Amino acid sequence: MRRWSVGVRDDQRAHQIETIKRVARQLLATHGSTGLVLRDIAREMGQTSSAMYRYFANRDELLTALIVDAYNDLGAVVERAEAKVDRNECFERFVATGKTIRRWALAHPHEYALIFGTPIPNYQAPPETIVAASRVVLVLATIVNDLPRKQHVRRVGSLNASDLEPGIGEFLVGVTPSQAGRALATWSSLFGLISFELFGHFVGSVKNRSAFFEASLEEFWKGLLSE
Amino acid sequence: MRRWSVGVRDDQRAHQIETIKRVARQLLATHGSTGLVLRDIAREMGQTSSAMYRYFANRDELLTALIVDAYNDLGAVVERAEAKVDRNECFERFVATGKTIRRWALAHPHEYALIFGTPIPNYQAPPETIVAASRVVLVLATIVNDLPRKQHVRRVGSLNASDLEPGIGEFLVGVTPSQAGRALATWSSLFGLISFELFGHFVGSVKNRSAFFEASLEEFWKGLLSE
DNA sequence: TGTACATCAGTGAACGCGCGTTCACTGATGTAC
DNA sequence: TGTACATCAGTGAACGCGCGTTCACTGATGTAC
């Protein structure tokens, strides 16, 4: 029978897992996703590559852990930033959320690419990533849910209820499917802007990326609501 | 001195280069960007891997060729589709452009990822890719340029002329920088929508992706113009 | 409290594989006179 | 038109390297009685 109190060994195990992931994130940041090599992580830690298999069954499991962590890290940072804003100021909450997502993306470009960039070939994301992924989405959804006058959320013209998944009603409450569609499009636009910037598609056109992002963010909000 | 008429050898050479790229695109489509392996391409062609070096100095050069081709293919397809629409119907031209980009992306997901997804680590895009990249952008710019009443293009509130690169004025003519910013944001939103769909971020929320895209496209256009 | 045993972390060598790239070469095709 | 030479496509073997993963093992740490 397993002891239910957490002993020294368990502590060290958890600590070691954290170290592996920290080093992995470091390599990710310096060498890109190609640099995520088990042997390099072990070398960096002064250990053998086979030691890694005490903590992760294989490379994909480590990758999953990093993806889940990235979603959670972004989620936590955004939740914290958004929570600081007056609950009644939905626009300010939206701006804080957007700016925080962008700041996190710029600070962790490779982790951002991991979760919002090209899917990794031959890698199937397990369900646990979906749970972690929903955190940021939930922040944005809550802002819409907290709007005092929901009828002001613009509809997406020719969108029917059947065009969206039924589950969407649990996230976005008190709005019509057509309005939910507008919210989805707004989020997609937000991440589109960040991806375009991060992946180099504003080279030669946008100079002051922060100013452009923040100005666009404001317009996205205006577009979400009807005057 | 080189013969200026193109001989049989030159024809065959050009044909061989096309074959290599075609096979490479096939492998890209079936195995993702990881599947882009010189040895596999050669094997598929019934040749030795070293034979590839008659046509491409190294793997990066082939990659560049594929990227340039992808941009040009997308550009050509979009140009053709957009040209079919009545020049006076700017909205219809925008819709045709957007729908064609999406259709191409769905038909060539890995080529789309190559040019609009996560940048490839340790790969520096040479200037020739930028030229090819500008074709699609130009189509979208021309639609805005052809608008009869440009004052109806919405401005991006707090955007200054200095926030954009000066060269933007050569693409988007007759509009203020603030209006050009709105156009840029619209394009970014368009590609954001496609990337979100392709990279799996609408799983669990959007069911009928075509309907959602087309409905959103219409809203993007409305957002571009003030009533 | 002490002892026998079980559990776990980490080692080091090896397996099997695949990669991009080089190089000396052969034979076919084109070119110059 | 014929011949000598240059150019080119493609071969096959090899280099050097790195990868994920396995496996028998050693020694330290925790557990049960």
Side-chain angles (χ1 to χ4, degrees):
Chain A
M1 180 102 148
R2 190 170 177 79
R3 254 187 332 116
W4 51 271
S5 81
V6 176
V8 177
R9 200 124 84 172
D10 300 82
D11 272 353
Q12 283 182 339
R13 186 175 172 79
H15 179 260
Q16 196 72 330
I17 288 176
E18 276 315 306
T19 307
I20 292 173
K21 292 197 291 189
R22 204 193 58 235
V23 172
R25 271 190 290 268
Q26 250 166 41
L27 289 173
L28 205 66
T30 50
H31 300 89
S33 59
T34 323
L36 200 70
V37 171
L38 290 180
R39 291 177 114 101
D40 290 348
I41 299 169
R43 197 172 302 134
E44 199 78 16
M45 292 173 67
Q47 288 191 336
T48 339
S49 63
S50 45
M52 302 295 103
Y53 288 83
R54 284 274 152 206
Y55 304 97
F56 297 95
N58 49 48
R59 192 178 177 274
D60 268 16
E61 209 172 81
L62 171 60
L63 205 59
T64 298
L66 291 175
I67 289 172
V68 169
D69 276 15
Y71 273 124
N72 276 323
D73 188 31
L74 172 63
V77 168
V78 168
E79 282 166 12
R80 217 175 308 133
E82 194 266 350
K84 280 189 192 149
V85 185
D86 182 347
R87 295 293 83 189
N88 297 317
E89 301 298 334
C90 287
F91 167 64
E92 300 295 342
R93 286 166 66 185
F94 177 76
V95 170
T97 301
K99 284 169 75 170
T100 306
I101 295 172
R102 175 170 176 268
R103 205 176 312 120
W104 185 88
L106 290 175
H108 310 85
H110 290 98
E111 281 171 88
Y112 178 89
L114 209 57
I115 55 183
F116 290 109
T118 311
I120 294 147
N122 309 321
Y123 171 79
Q124 263 297 60
E128 48 184 313
T129 60
I130 297 173
V131 178
S134 62
R135 282 179 70 170
V136 197
V137 182
L138 203 61
V139 171
L140 286 156
T142 308
I143 298 173
V144 174
N145 291 338
D146 286 357
L147 278 171
R149 284 183 294 277
K150 297 226 182 59
Q151 67 273 24
H152 283 189
V153 176
R154 264 212 189 81
R155 284 173 290 110
V156 176
S158 56
L159 198 68
N160 301 313
S162 61
D163 292 333
L164 300 181
E165 298 284 358
I168 201 77
E170 294 165 30
F171 272 88
L172 289 159
V173 295
V175 295
T176 68
S178 179
Q179 289 175 309
R182 168 68 71 160
L184 283 171
T186 304
W187 302 341
S188 157
S189 295
L190 197 161
F191 283 100
L193 216 50
I194 293 173
S195 292
F196 246 44
E197 175 178 351
L198 225 61
F199 298 166
H201 294 283
F202 283 145
V203 172
S205 56
V206 180
K207 198 165 161 186
N208 186 340
R209 315 260 157 86
S210 300
F212 181 70
F213 178 80
E214 288 167 25
S216 299
L217 207 54
E218 198 170 324
E219 298 300 322
F220 286 163
W221 182 258
K222 282 188 201 159
L224 184 65
L225 302 176
S226 56
E227 284 100 65
Chain B
M1 180 96 148
R2 188 168 179 81
R3 254 185 334 116
W4 52 271
S5 80
V6 176
V8 177
R9 202 125 83 173
D10 300 82
D11 272 354
Q12 283 181 340
R13 185 175 172 78
H15 179 259
Q16 197 72 327
I17 288 176
E18 277 313 307
T19 306
I20 292 173
K21 291 196 291 188
R22 204 192 58 236
V23 172
R25 271 191 289 268
Q26 252 166 38
L27 289 173
L28 205 66
T30 50
H31 300 88
S33 60
T34 323
L36 200 69
V37 171
L38 290 181
R39 293 177 114 101
D40 290 349
I41 299 169
R43 197 172 301 134
E44 199 78 18
M45 292 173 66
Q47 287 192 336
T48 338
S49 63
S50 46
M52 302 295 103
Y53 288 83
R54 284 274 151 207
Y55 304 97
F56 296 96
N58 49 48
R59 192 179 177 274
D60 268 16
E61 209 172 81
L62 170 59
L63 205 58
T64 298
L66 290 175
I67 289 171
V68 169
D69 277 15
Y71 273 126
N72 276 324
D73 188 31
L74 172 64
V77 168
V78 168
E79 281 166 11
R80 217 175 309 135
E82 195 266 351
K84 279 189 192 150
V85 184
D86 182 346
R87 294 295 84 189
N88 298 316
E89 302 296 334
C90 287
F91 167 63
E92 301 295 342
R93 287 166 65 186
F94 177 76
V95 169
T97 302
K99 283 170 76 171
T100 306
I101 295 172
R102 175 169 176 271
R103 205 177 312 118
W104 185 88
L106 289 176
H108 310 85
H110 289 97
E111 281 170 89
Y112 178 87
L114 208 57
I115 55 183
F116 290 109
T118 310
I120 294 146
N122 309 320
Y123 172 79
Q124 262 298 59
E128 48 183 315
T129 60
I130 297 173
V131 179
S134 62
R135 282 178 72 170
V136 197
V137 183
L138 203 61
V139 172
L140 286 156
T142 308
I143 298 173
V144 173
N145 291 338
D146 286 357
L147 278 171
R149 286 182 294 276
K150 296 225 183 59
Q151 66 274 24
H152 283 189
V153 175
R154 264 214 189 80
R155 285 172 289 111
V156 175
S158 55
L159 198 69
N160 299 315
S162 62
D163 292 332
L164 300 180
E165 298 284 357
I168 202 78
E170 295 165 29
F171 272 88
L172 289 159
V173 295
V175 295
T176 67
S178 179
Q179 288 176 310
R182 168 68 72 161
L184 284 172
T186 304
W187 303 340
S188 158
S189 295
L190 197 161
F191 283 101
L193 215 50
I194 294 173
S195 292
F196 245 45
E197 175 178 350
L198 226 61
F199 298 167
H201 294 283
F202 282 146
V203 173
S205 56
V206 180
K207 198 164 162 187
N208 187 339
R209 315 261 158 86
S210 300
F212 181 70
F213 179 80
E214 287 167 29
S216 298
L217 208 56
E218 197 169 324
E219 298 299 322
F220 286 162
W221 181 259
K222 283 189 200 159
L224 183 65
L225 302 176
S226 55
E227 284 100 66

